[in-house]
């Protein structure tokens, strides 16, 4: 056994398929002083008993891209390492048993187009040619993916490790990292019984033990292991002709209705299930003495899935069962991997919760290596970033959500679906009032948020669908009420980041790409990384203490990205303080600052009625309180921060108050609004109104893979101070360079020419996001989001297309957007559909 080194640039903890891939990809990225520590033998966690199946299709196209990379990597990896991965690209048939599932497959097929995936929608008869033992009457259609197949999990892990070793990495087996300690100099000590390795970075690839490794550093990772079973039949002579015709390995199939996957294995068949009666494993902690063991099979639990399987594939009914494998593996609550840096702990990285290590491990390894070596994962990893979860994800919440996710693994996730487990969790203080108003609730970042308000007397429930739901007409009324009078929406779910201290203005001027406003003003400000990529879009407000002028900065952003932005802010504050910057205190305000927003032409009258009845009697007239002004106001005994801005593109105000005063302010505003017919509106109406204006939103239009030039945010990036001097902010050089060449793609607003009302099953279908955009017979871009703009009466989409076809001088009407398999003519809109001059907002 070779000695452990005393130090390394990176220590990877865990020698499953994920840890081995991270190690390999670090060496590929040029970091060779890297060490992997494995408690026992490589694969001694969940990897050794995996069924080895791999797929490229995924509902999230970014995960699909990662899976495609992984599958494509294996041939190169075999060549490089000279270790067989047992790769069999058999292709895979995904079977739909009803039209909703077929819609989902159409959507996955269309989304795959701009990733260059060669999937094909096929008939049931064509599916039966590929899988001769299925019963056609149970299915309505299928998707053929020629790239799916299976690999040997242990071969893959060893191939990664061998190739990494050849590039200089060290792999130490039988080396348990039983503690990880951060040193005063910021480095990490990874402590084992064979010695301590001091490193700059460590990566938690602990798989089944990732929670335990996280706890060594005081964090609770939101993952949980679930038991999973698959069975292997005896040899089946009747499938031999099929095996002969397919090169000996058959073809894989996923039967979504039956919640099963199947493929050939050793002359027989393999069948696995994601059953409803699922069971978590080792809920509190994973025993360190658990090794290459299997769990006791429990066929009773999977009996309902087997019954459907036997009906859909009768060959199984008479087949002898050779072995049942039951093993645990870990999931995050949305089924996506959990990767990236841990906020507030520089050098601590995770790559865990990878539930499909053979499909995703390669892409995860690549993204991690890019991220660690260059600061940019190089993929769109938003949906996999560990920062998508915050401190609200307790182990009990994780358990509820992971069980829900497991049992729905093969269920359809509808775009407007809100899953019930673990809810309601956080509620604001006006929750009961909004419930009385018949709110239909959704949840984001742990907080219940009103999506829309069902009519009184009807159940506050939304039909889940790929098409327009029962919310459509009601949301139209909410939009109408705002645009013609006044509406009130709760905005507590927005993220609010507070910066104070004498160094705060300097820090924010360096961190944000726009000039930080004068006291009493707000501005829009993107945040960029060093590569000039968009890592945030914020509204920044400056408030000054009336007595001594001390400034407080409030940075408002996406609620779902609160943890993501907190990680950036903490890192920027830390490096500012390290370089002796003046003091800064940063605090995410979470739900302690609650929000209510008024919008619509009568919004001023409502605010004036409340402000005017206060002893202080604030003047909120257009001249005294202009667009993007912000100030503290006494709203009839409620000390509020009021900013003149809304996301509706209308006249409007956002009022921020301590959570304990939100009820009072709500009652005051509703009472004052009564004579103006004030109407509650929810997030669905807000979304509809942003399409009127072509406003982009974080996580759809604005993501870390885009630049401000591409996203149309250049006007909010100030290269110079008001005096004409160069500003020095993160990403400036990259932005300045990009401006000289101009973007190669650009965000555009489109309307569907049929208004979203074609005939047949697609009647009333709007763009959902991630659909391919066609131009001149080719897929040239993708939609980032879509919906119906009720006020403008237009079915809208936003999306990125090449700059030449985005240019206002190019024809606007030669686009098509493929929605659920139908290419629908679309027109580029070069100015907002509503109030293009902005007079409603500014007036
Ligand atoms: C029955 C079953 C079937 C499956 N089928 C498939 C499939 O068909 N396709 C697919 O893609 N996936 C499948 N999976 C899932 C797959 O197994 C996982 O996605 C994958 O194994 C995750 O790999 P990992 O490296 O993250 O974790 P693990 O394999 O659990 O590896 C973690 C490693 O870290 C080591 N370790 C942990 N803590 C320490 C420490 N402190 N010090 C040193 N070493 C440590 C452990 O010993 C272990 O070797 C299946 C899983 C099961 C159970």
């Amino acid at each position: 056994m070779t000695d452990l080194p005393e130090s390394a640039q990176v220590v990877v903890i865990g020698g499953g398929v994920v840890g081995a891939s991270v190690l390999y990809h670090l060496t590929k990225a040029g970091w060779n002083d890297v060490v992997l520590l494995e408690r026992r033998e490589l694969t001694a966690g969940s990897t050794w008993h995996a069924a080895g199946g791999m797929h490229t299709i995924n509902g999230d196209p970014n995960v699909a891209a990662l899976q495609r990379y992984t599958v494509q990597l294996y041939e190169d990896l075999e060549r490089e390492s000279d270790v067989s991965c047992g790769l069999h690209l058999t292709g895979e048939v995904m079977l739909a048993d009803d039209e909703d599932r077929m819609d989902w497959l159409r959507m996955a097929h269309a989304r795959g187009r701009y990733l260059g995936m060669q999937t094909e929608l096929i008939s049931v008869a064509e599916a039966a040619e590929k899988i001769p033992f299925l019963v056609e009457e149970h299915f309505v259609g299928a998707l053929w993916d020629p790239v799916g197949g299976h690999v040997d999990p242990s071969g893959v892990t060893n191939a990664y490790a061998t190739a990494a070793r050849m590039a200089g990495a060290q792999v130490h087996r039988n080396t348990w990292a039983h503690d990880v300690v951060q040193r005063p100099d910021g480095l990490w000590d990874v402590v084992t019984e064979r010695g301590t390795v001091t490193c700059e970075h460590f990566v938690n690839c602990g798989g089944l033990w990732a929670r335990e490794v996280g706890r060594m550093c005081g964090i609770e990772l939101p993952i949980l292991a679930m038991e999973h079973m698959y069975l292997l039949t005896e040899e089946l002579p009747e499938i031999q002709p099929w095996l002969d015709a397919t090169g000996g390995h058959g073809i894989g199939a996923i039967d979504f209705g039956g919640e099963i996957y199947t493929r050939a294995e050793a002359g027989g068949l393999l069948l696995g299930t994601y059953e409803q009666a699922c069971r978590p494993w080792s809920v509190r902690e994973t025993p360190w003495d658990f090794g290459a063991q299997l769990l006791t099979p429990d066929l009773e639990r999977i009996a309902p899935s087997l019954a459907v399987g036997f009906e859909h594939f009768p060959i199984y009914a008479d087949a002898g069962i050779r072995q049942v494998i039951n093993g645990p593996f870990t999931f995050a609550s949305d089924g996506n991997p959990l990767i990236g840096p841990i906020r507030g702990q520089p050098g601590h990285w995770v790559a865990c919760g990878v539930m499909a290590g053979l499909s995703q491990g390669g892409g995860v390894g690549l993204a991690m290596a890019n991220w660690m070596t260059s600061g940019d994962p190089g993929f769109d990893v938003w949906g996999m970033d560990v920062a998508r979860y915050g401190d609200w994800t307790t182990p009990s919440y994780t358990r509820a959500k992971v069980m829900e996710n497991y049992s729905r693994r093969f269920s359809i996730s509808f775009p407007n679906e809100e899953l019930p487990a673990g809810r309601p969790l956080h509620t604001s203080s006006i929750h009961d009032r909004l419930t009385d108003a018949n709110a239909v609730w959704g949840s984001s970042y742990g907080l219940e948020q009103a999506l829309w308000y069902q009519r009184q007397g009807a159940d506050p429930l939304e039909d889940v669908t790929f098409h327009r739901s029962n919310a459509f007409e009601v949301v139209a009324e909410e939009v109408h009420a705002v645009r013609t009078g006044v509406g009130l929406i709760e905005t507590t779910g927005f993220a609010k980041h507070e910066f104070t201290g004498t160094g705060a203005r300097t820090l924010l001027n360096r961190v944000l790409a726009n000039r930080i406003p004068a006291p009493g003003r707000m501005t829009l400000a993107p945040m960029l990384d060093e590569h000039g990529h968009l890592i945030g879009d914020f509204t920044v407000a400056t408030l000054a203490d009336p007595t001594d002028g001390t400034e407080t900065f409030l940075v408002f952003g996406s609620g779902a990205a609160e943890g993501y932005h907190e990680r950036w802010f903490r890192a920027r504050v830390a490096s500012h303080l390290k370089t002796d910057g003046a003091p800064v205190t940063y605090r995410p305000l979470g739900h302690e600052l609650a929000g209510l927003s008024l919008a619509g032409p009568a919004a001023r009258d409502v605010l004036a009625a409340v402000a005017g009845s206060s002893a202080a009697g604030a003047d909120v007239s257009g001249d005294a309180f202009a667009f993007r002004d912000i100030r503290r106001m006494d709203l009839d005994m409620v000390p509020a921060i009021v900013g003149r801005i809304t996301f509706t593109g209308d006249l409007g105000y956002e009022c921020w108050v301590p959570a304990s005063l939100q009820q009072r302010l709500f009652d005051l505003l509703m009472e004052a609004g009564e004579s103006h017919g004030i109407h509650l509106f929810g997030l669905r109406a807000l979304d509809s109104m942003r399409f009127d204006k072509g406003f982009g939103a974080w996580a759809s239009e604005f993501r870390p893979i885009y630049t401000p030039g591409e996203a149309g945010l250049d006007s909010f990036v100030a290269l110079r101070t008001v005096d004409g001097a160069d500003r020095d902010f993160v990403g400036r050089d990259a932005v300045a360079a990009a401006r000289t060449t101009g973007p190669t793609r650009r965000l555009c607003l489109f309307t569907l020419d049929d208004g979203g009302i074609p005939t047949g099953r697609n009647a009333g279908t709007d763009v959902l996001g991630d659909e391919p955009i066609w131009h001149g017979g080719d897929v040239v871009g993708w939609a980032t989001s879509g919906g119906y703009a009720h006020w403008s009466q237009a079915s809208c989409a936003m999306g990125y297309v090449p700059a030449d076809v985005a240019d206002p001088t190019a024809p606007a009407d030669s686009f098509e957007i493929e929605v659920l398999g139908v290419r629908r003519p679309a027109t580029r809109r070069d100015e907002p559909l509503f109030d293009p001059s902005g007079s409603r907002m500014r007036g």
Side-chain angles (χ1 to χ4, degrees), residues 498-509:
E498 183 194 72
F499 294 81
T500 51
T502 49
R505 178 174 281 275
T506 309
L507 170 87
L508 288 172
N509 255 318

Side-chain angles (χ1 to χ4, degrees), residues 540-838:
V540 189
T542 308
L543 291 158
D545 187 293
T547 47
D548 61 8
T550 308
E551 291 182 323
T552 296
F553 301 91
L554 290 176
V555 178
F556 300 98
S558 155
E562 184 181 287
Y564 172 81
H565 289 134
E566 182 186 340
R567 186 175 63 198
W568 277 111
F569 288 141
R570 288 201 185 284
R572 298 287 192 230
V573 169
S575 68
H576 165 89
L577 294 179
K578 219 187 246 174
T579 51
D580 288 332
V584 176
T585 303
Y586 161 68
R587 224 162 51 100
L589 298 181
H591 306 146
E592 73 185 66
L593 194 64
L596 292 171
S597 173
L598 290 167
R604 179 178 293 128
D605 299 335
V606 177
L607 183 66
V610 180
S613 63
S614 308
D619 178 0
V620 296
S621 65
D623 291 337
F625 194 40
F627 180 55
R628 291 202 202 144
D629 275 354
I630 186 160
R631 69 174 65 139
R632 296 182 199 275
M633 282 183 198
D634 167 9
L635 296 180
D636 200 356
M637 291 192 263
V638 178
I641 295 167
V642 184
R644 203 187 129 184
I645 201 160
T646 80
F647 199 48
T648 59
D650 224 307
L651 172 67
Y653 304 89
E654 284 173 1
C655 308
W656 300 102
V657 294
S660 53
L661 285 165
Q662 191 194 21
Q663 278 190 15
R664 176 171 171 83
L665 182 61
F666 177 81
D667 293 344
L668 289 168
L669 294 173
M670 290 303 284
E671 201 184 311
E674 206 174 326
S675 58
H676 300 278
I678 195 166
H679 207 297
L680 290 172
F681 68 104
L683 294 174
R684 295 258 197 276
L686 189 65
D687 209 40
S688 169
M689 288 186 270
R690 86 175 171 91
F691 287 114
D692 282 334
K693 295 291 288 182
F695 286 161
W698 180 259
S700 46
E701 285 69 39
F702 306 146
R703 294 172 79 111
I705 53 168
Y706 304 121
T707 66
E710 293 170 339
L713 294 176
D714 257 352
S715 56
F716 301 109
V717 175
L719 295 181
R720 301 212 156 65
T721 65
V722 277
D723 305 325
D726 279 350
R727 287 185 69 238
D728 174 24
F729 60 89
V730 180
R732 185 191 191 282
D733 293 348
V735 171
R739 278 199 190 169
T740 58
T741 50
T744 53
R745 61 184 176 196
R746 279 182 38 205
L747 178 65
C748 294
L749 173 68
F750 297 91
T751 51
L752 297 183
D753 297 354
D754 54 26
I757 317 186
T759 52
R761 187 170 162 75
N762 270 359
T765 307
D766 300 304
V767 166
L768 304 168
D770 294 318
E771 290 85 351
I773 303 179
W774 295 74
H775 185 269
D778 292 318
V779 174
V780 295
W782 57 90
T784 44
S785 65
Y788 194 75
H790 288 279
W791 183 253
S792 307
Q793 300 194 347
S795 183
C796 294
M798 295 184 76
Y800 284 86
V801 292
D804 56 337
V805 296
D807 195 280
T809 59
D813 58 355
S814 37
F815 295 90
E816 288 172 311
I817 304 183
E818 185 174 340
V819 188
L820 299 183
V822 182
R823 279 162 64 173
R824 313 242 306 260
T827 300
R828 195 190 65 238
R829 298 306 193 115
D830 298 324
E831 60 174 29
L833 307 174
F834 165 74
D835 190 26
S837 69

Side-chain angles (χ1 to χ4, degrees), residues 356-431:
L358 287 317
S359 304
Q360 301 172 342
V364 163
L366 176 64
M368 289 292 292
N370 287 338
W371 210 340
M372 294 174 70
T373 59
S374 79
D376 182 342
F379 277 93
D380 191 335
V381 296
W382 169 250
M384 295 165 250
D385 193 327
V386 59
R388 70 190 184 278
Y389 294 109
D391 297 338
W392 44 276
T393 48
T394 57
S396 325
Y397 176 87
T398 301
R399 180 177 53 184
K401 279 305 210 193
V402 168
M403 288 180 70
E404 179 184 63
N405 179 270
Y406 184 97
S407 65
R408 292 179 43 87
R409 166 97 173 106
F410 285 154
S411 306
I412 301 168
S413 285
F414 291 95
N416 65 338
E417 190 165 10
E418 294 286 334
L419 300 177
R423 294 180 51 208
L425 189 57
H426 290 277
T427 56
S428 72
S429 62
I430 57 167
H431 185 263

Side-chain angles (χ1 to χ4, degrees), residues 192-277:
T192 82
E193 277 150 357
R194 298 183 50 220
T196 294
V197 190
T198 302
C199 56
E200 211 177 306
H201 305 269
F202 82 94
V203 193
N204 176 357
C205 298
L208 291 175
W209 296 267
R211 283 177 309 174
E212 282 66 27
V213 175
R215 285 172 193 156
M216 293 173 192
C217 305
I219 61 162
E220 188 62 45
L221 288 167
I223 49 172
L224 178 65
M226 299 292 294
E227 293 190 13
H228 180 68
M229 274 179 273
Y230 65 88
L231 56 86
L232 299 162
T233 71
E234 302 284 1
E235 272 187 40
L236 296 168
E238 58 269 48
I239 65 167
Q240 197 54 48
W242 176 60
L243 294 178
D244 292 342
T246 55
H249 298 287
I251 287 174
I254 295 182
D255 169 6
F256 292 98
E259 296 169 334
I260 53 186
Y261 57 88
T262 175
R263 68 170 166 84
E265 176 71 28
L269 290 169
L270 176 157
L271 182 149
T273 74
Y274 281 87
E275 67 284 1
Q276 296 295 313

